[in-house]
Amino acid sequence: MTGIFINGLSGKMGTSLLNRSNLDNNIFICKDIDDKEVEVVIDFSHPSSTIETLDAIKDTNLSIIIGTTGFDDDQISYIKESSKYRSILFAYNLSKGISILKDSIKGFVESNSNNLSCRIEETHHTQKIDSPSGTAIALKDLVEFSDSKNLIKEIKIDSKRVGNIFGIHKVIFFSELEKIKFSHEAISRNIYSDGAIDATHWIKDQKNGMYSFENFFNSEDLL
């Protein structure tokens, strides 16, 4: 059994996490972060609240999963510093489908032999504050990192905030002869909750340090 504390429980993601955690018989919810049975904190809140939570657990060795986005450079540095004392899974997107999408894009870019331009399109609900999304930025970084032959001449990100969309990401490559498209759409925010809950059992057993969702997704524990 793994005891978890959810930071941001009153929000929409907090409600989703609570509902989905009830489907896992190996998880129980702790109402207080100081509860001695807490092993992992799951944080889907606001950057300032995440930092406050890290302050609250600084004298413990609790693991934490951070799904919050919109951090500035100083806040990210603080998260990295905190990882010296605990295992932290820090991910802009905890969807397993996005991890598969990233692997596909990485393989395509590494094998590409043509000059291309790239456009990343992301669409989210109107209440999402950060723009572009953390996932879109991560996809841009992935394309740049994978393009060792410097054949991607341009990368643009287009962001839209429409209705109640949970997340649509498209990565489109253009040449003179063809258009190649990779895409992922989240139908429910439960997809992020499920990823966080699945990773809970894994992150608590990791050494101190920073981990990505891909570290979890590609781990032997998941095979």
Side-chain angles (χ1 to χ4, degrees):
M1 295 287 286
T2 301
I4 67 172
F5 173 80
I6 300 172
N7 186 44
L9 185 59
S10 62
K12 292 179 180 179
M13 273 304 304
T15 301
S16 172
L17 281 163
L18 181 61
N19 292 336
R20 302 302 281 185
S21 64
N22 289 331
L23 302 177
D24 189 326
N25 294 327
N26 294 312
I27 278 183
F28 61 94
I29 304 295
C30 300
K31 295 182 179 179
D32 194 321
I33 198 170
D34 295 322
D35 190 318
K36 64 180 181 180
E37 293 188 290
V38 174
E39 295 178 88
V40 180
V41 176
I42 300 180
D43 179 274
F44 281 88
S45 57
H46 182 275
S48 60
S49 180
T50 304
I51 299 303
E52 290 173 1
T53 299
L54 287 172
D55 282 340
I57 63 174
K58 65 180 180 181
D59 294 326
T60 75
N61 61 352
L62 293 179
S63 300
I64 184 169
I65 295 174
I66 300 174
T68 302
T69 61
F71 295 101
D72 61 31
D73 290 342
D74 288 341
Q75 290 168 328
I76 290 176
S77 294
Y78 188 86
I79 293 170
K80 290 179 178 178
E81 178 66 22
S82 182
S83 72
K84 295 178 181 178
Y85 310 102
R86 71 195 72 259
S87 56
I88 297 179
L89 194 160
F90 182 31
Y92 292 124
N93 195 306
L94 288 102
S95 160
K96 295 175 183 177
I98 284 289
S99 293
I100 294 171
L101 182 79
K102 287 180 176 179
D103 283 344
S104 299
I105 292 170
K106 181 175 182 291
F108 168 75
V109 174
E110 288 178 343
S111 64
N112 172 58
S113 58
N114 299 313
N115 289 324
L116 299 172
S117 60
C118 175
R119 185 173 74 241
I120 298 170
E121 300 175 355
E122 62 97 353
T123 307
H124 285 85
H125 54 82
T126 54
Q127 292 180 317
K128 185 170 178 61
I129 298 173
D130 54 313
S131 179
S133 69
T135 303
I137 294 171
L139 289 169
K140 179 177 182 291
D141 291 343
L142 174 67
V143 172
E144 291 176 338
F145 179 80
S146 303
D147 183 30
S148 60
K149 292 174 280 190
N150 295 317
L151 293 173
I152 311 297
K153 302 306 179 184
E154 179 183 48
I155 305 175
K156 291 184 177 180
I157 299 179
D158 293 333
S159 299
K160 295 179 181 178
R161 298 292 174 261
V162 180
N164 197 33
I165 294 172
F166 296 115
I168 301 173
H169 291 89
K170 299 177 182 179
V171 181
I172 309 167
F173 296 94
F174 300 86
S175 73
E176 293 181 352
L177 300 177
E178 60 185 348
K179 177 170 68 174
I180 301 150
K181 182 186 295 185
F182 298 84
S183 66
H184 176 272
E185 179 174 359
I187 306 300
S188 166
R189 60 173 50 90
N190 288 342
I191 194 171
Y192 310 124
S193 298
D194 289 351
I197 291 166
D198 287 347
T200 296
H201 305 292
W202 178 82
I203 193 63
K204 72 174 185 177
D205 294 327
Q206 304 310 306
K207 297 178 180 179
N208 294 348
M210 286 276 283
Y211 298 88
S212 68
F213 191 69
E214 283 69 39
N215 291 143
F216 159 67
F217 186 74
N218 294 317
S219 68
E220 291 183 357
D221 304 69
L222 206 64
L223 299 178

